[in-house]
Amino acid sequence: MINNYLFDLKSIKWTKEKEVEDLQKFDIGLYPLPFNKWIEGKSGLKAIQYLAFGIPTVASNSGNTPNVIDDKVNGILVNTKEEWIKSLKELINNANLRIEMG
């Protein structure tokens, strides 16, 4: 529970056969990354996949992700736990914003 919000989360085991079908069920893409040197070399592939499917994405503002996500246009870049919570609440509560960003 996050600030009186209950989430109905479902964990889906990744398989290459069902990846596309599973991604099409997402409402919001999450791309949490640590802030360290190793991340600087990552391509942001998961964020790219989410955007290719029209999935609004909340992602850590690290690595290559800021080059992939245009903040507040096709996703939201976050730096802190508080920004994660605020951004997720905003997208959960605003279907029109999810559609616009997607």
Side-chain angles (χ1 to χ4, degrees):
M1 183 185 313
I2 299 176
N3 295 338
N4 298 323
Y5 284 82
L6 293 175
F7 294 98
D8 182 18
L9 299 175
K10 181 178 180 183
S11 177
I12 301 170
K13 183 177 178 178
W14 180 87
T15 65
K16 67 179 180 180
E17 295 81 17
K18 291 191 69 185
E19 181 178 30
V20 170
E21 179 183 338
D22 290 340
L23 283 170
Q24 291 173 329
K25 297 175 186 173
F26 281 33
D27 294 312
I28 300 169
L30 305 178
Y31 194 45
L33 297 169
F35 293 87
N36 62 37
K37 284 282 188 194
W38 182 76
I39 293 303
E40 291 177 15
K42 292 186 66 64
S43 68
L45 178 60
K46 188 54 65 184
I48 292 167
Q49 282 183 301
Y50 290 152
L51 298 180
F53 280 94
I55 301 168
T57 302
V58 180
S60 299
N61 189 18
S62 64
N64 192 51
T65 310
N67 295 320
V68 174
I69 292 178
D70 191 3
D71 191 34
K72 307 288 189 293
V73 176
N74 59 3
I76 302 172
L77 296 170
V78 296
N79 294 294
T80 66
K81 177 182 174 181
E82 293 75 23
E83 289 176 357
W84 273 99
I85 293 168
K86 178 181 179 240
S87 299
L88 288 170
K89 280 183 184 179
E90 187 175 12
L91 285 172
I92 289 166
N93 291 319
N94 190 337
N96 287 333
L97 181 59
R98 291 194 308 271
I99 292 166
E100 288 173 24
M101 283 191 177

